[in-house]
Amino acid sequence: MGSAGLSRLHGLFAVYKPPGLKWKHLRDTVELQLLKGLNARKPPAPKQRVRFLLGPMEGSEEKELTLTATSVPSLVNHPLVCGPAFTHLKVGMGHRLDVRASGVLVLGVGHGCRLLTDMYNAHLTKDYTVRGLLGKATDDFCEDGRLVEKTTYDHVTREKLDRILAMIQGSHQKALVMYSNLDLKTQEAYEMAVRGLIRPMNKSPMLITGIRCLHFAPPEFLLEVQCMHETQKELRKLVHEIGLELKTTAVCSQVRRTRDGFFTLDSALLRTQWDLHNIQDAIRAAAPQVASELEKSLGPQLDTKELPSREWSWESQGPSSTLVPERGAGH
Amino acid sequence: MALSAQQIPRWFNSAKLRSLINAVQLTKCFARPGRTLLHGFSAQPQISSDNCFLQWGFKTYKTSSLWNSSQSTSSSSQENNSTQSSLLPSMNEQSQKTQKIPSFDSELFLEELDELPPLSPMQPISEEEAIQIIADPPLPPASFTLRDYVDHSETLQKLVLLGVDLSKIEKHTEAANLLLRLDFEKDIKQMLLFLKDVGIEDNQLGAFLTKNHAIFSEDLENLKIRVAYLLSKNFSKADVAQMVRKAPFLLNFSVERLDNRLGFFQKELELSVKKVKKRREFVYFYVCKFTFMLTANKRKLTETFDFVHNVMSIPHHIIVKFPQVFNTRLFKIKERHLFLTYLGRAQYDPAKPNYISLDKLVSIPDEIFCEEIAKASVQDFDKFLKTL
């Protein structure tokens, strides 16, 4: 009976990581909840074992002995003796989020851990909302860090902010093209670039594919950032640099991931939903989209090499001309 | 069903018998089936737990079998218990159930060992002798789990029926070895009667013993002294019962340690709670109802306190009225408080209208909290959580 539940527990799903929780603790909590659900099933019927007892044969005058087989219950399979049926599950983690950040976090269970590698190799972009606070600077770019500097911000206007964001996007666009090792002189590459669908398929520093200001109410401002190969610390540093560009200072008060590849906020499971049934449903709901998106992202390369894992060696051989279109939900 | 002669050499190999004496013992075992055989192969577990195995050494195997054969059938069981008390009594009981068979070994004595020729497995034996061979698979000499021994140990079976979780105890090798060696009738029964005396119910014994398996190594006299000490401190019997149930390791502490702890908590808690008059009631109340606070992590307590006092701006005297806020997870308090702030309903001052008490904030489940306190739907709460 436990195997029925376990068989549905292979695949990818997304959780919403709340702020203040370490990603490792999250992973352990999810594993514990899954094990709890799997071990809650009915224990098997008690095993019997056969013992041969010596006893007198029925209806014999001279006390002849014979062995009779009796089935006695055995305690070997009793749950108090052998413990819980499941003690470990393979739960893998996608792109990490640090302690202070929150948002969509992709996890894989069982065979889904293999798909995590595929997702990583697909190099899809991610969406963040970043909340900034003008007027102070700290050492770790966060609101509660050690204060380094305090400045005024009355001169900051929405137009100045938009101008700076546009500058950032432009420079990152150039970097995008450079890191994707594309020969822009070809017609297909040019068309892709015009449609904005180029991205590097190997390691690169943080690249911002899109950035805009959603809300500006000094000292607070809210940005929406689409990026890839980022860390949350680099996003906070970005806020700090925006402050510097605006000739003031800024710290980051919230980093929240709203989309990771094709997993969005709607499909992310909240803390109260981290149990066996919800996770099984989430895996089942996400499975078709996962399969199709990964095939699209990794598809064109599949005829040049047999296994997706070979992509690493293929890229290391030389410049990879990748014309993989970006089909994430962000565009 | 008589066992074939082919099974005997397999038996030899598995038991790693090597010398003439062992073979002779086997002969005796054949001649005295049932009891002797089981005794012979159930050599007692070794006292030393040098590696992580439960040791069932064959060291004193020879002596035990020889002892058996030299005693009479009726007295051997008592002898065994007295001389090698670590022999499993279960063997005695199981074998006593089987019918007492006339022993054929009256002619076999210790002195005749040297003259006896070794038994050849190819030698034909009579039907009666064949039928009396019992060739159960031998118990493993060492194991990492109590599963292998549970079917052969009355002690373990009775403990399982009581509700003790053996899978947790087997992780502690000393406790597991101890349990294998103890006799249910003699040692464990006394302990259980004592615990029942203290006030633990039958259905709670299992949980208690699972948590505090080390109690079997404690001296019964010491335990009685400690309980008497607690009673002398004006705790009623019911109080002591509840204290022992909530904190199973309490009885393992020495009297001095108990004294120190009680004095410490009296002093500490007196400073924060001024209104409670009777010291006895107050110590009982805090020790039993809020044992978590005494054992809680200091950092987590301070984090919770910092949030509740500084961020939620709740003064000290109100926090003191609801100590259970320290038992709930901090994230729960944070989420609910932020949701109420977002809705504009975060009112914790009892004097003002729409007051929300702290215990309602933390102890009621999510659906009721959303409907009654926050006056919003659970979906709204979820949507809000996804914006944090």
Side-chain angles (χ1 to χ4, degrees), chain A residues 123-174:
Chain A
H123 298 279
L124 302 165
T125 61
K126 306 182 201 59
D127 270 355
Y128 284 84
T129 57
V130 178
R131 210 177 279 272
L133 203 65
L134 292 168
K136 51 182 201 167
T138 57
D139 58 348
D140 60 353
F141 315 127
C142 286
E143 227 185 320
D144 47 2
R146 188 177 61 88
L147 192 62
V148 168
E149 196 182 340
K150 269 186 127 152
T151 55
T152 58
Y153 48 86
D154 313 317
H155 55 277
V156 179
T157 60
R158 179 85 192 239
E159 292 74 29
K160 287 193 188 154
L161 183 63
D162 289 337
R163 212 179 311 144
I164 292 188
L165 295 179
M167 220 172 64
I168 292 176
Q169 181 158 355
S171 65
H172 278 264
Q173 193 71 26
K174 283 203 195 124

Side-chain angles (χ1 to χ4, degrees), chain A residues 16 67 74 80 102 256 265, chain B residues 1 131 151 166 386-388:
Chain A
Y16 188 87
L67 288 172
S74 159
L80 284 180
S102 59
R256 187 178 77 133
L265 272 182
Chain B
M1 181 180 92
I131 224 175
D151 279 332
L166 291 182
K386 286 194 179 171
T387 64
L388 280 181

Side-chain angles (χ1 to χ4, degrees), chain A residues 15-19 101-104 254 256-257 265 268-274, chain B residues 330-340 342 366 369-370 377-388:
Chain A
V15 296
Y16 188 87
K17 179 180 117 49
S102 59
V104 176
Q254 187 199 44
R256 187 178 77 133
R257 191 192 279 162
L265 272 182
L269 296 173
L270 283 171
R271 201 199 299 260
T272 46
Q273 298 163 321
W274 293 350
Chain B
L330 177 61
F331 67 78
K332 199 162 169 185
I333 306 175
K334 256 192 203 163
E335 284 167 6
R336 289 186 173 185
H337 166 71
L338 288 171
F339 187 49
L340 290 174
Y342 176 73
D366 272 345
F369 169 79
C370 289
S377 69
V378 185
Q379 287 83 15
D380 292 339
F381 189 42
D382 288 344
K383 269 195 224 154
F384 173 75
L385 285 180
K386 286 194 179 171
T387 64
L388 280 181

Side-chain angles (χ1 to χ4, degrees), chain A residues 205-221:
Chain A
M206 174 169 91
L207 291 171
I208 297 182
T209 55
I211 182 166
R212 65 187 176 120
C213 175
L214 289 177
H215 183 64
F216 180 73
E220 280 187 6
F221 60 93

Side-chain angles (χ1 to χ4, degrees), chain A residues 273-289:
Chain A
Q273 298 163 321
W274 293 350
D275 54 38
L276 185 66
H277 282 301
N278 287 330
I279 292 180
Q280 279 174 338
D281 294 338
I283 293 177
R284 206 160 0 141
Q289 198 189 8

Side-chain angles (χ1 to χ4, degrees), chain B residues 314-323 348-350 355 357-358:
Chain B
I314 296 182
H316 288 267
H317 61 270
I318 299 186
I319 300 182
V320 155
K321 282 203 201 129
F322 305 108
Y348 305 115
D349 190 352
Y355 160 64
S357 67
L358 279 182

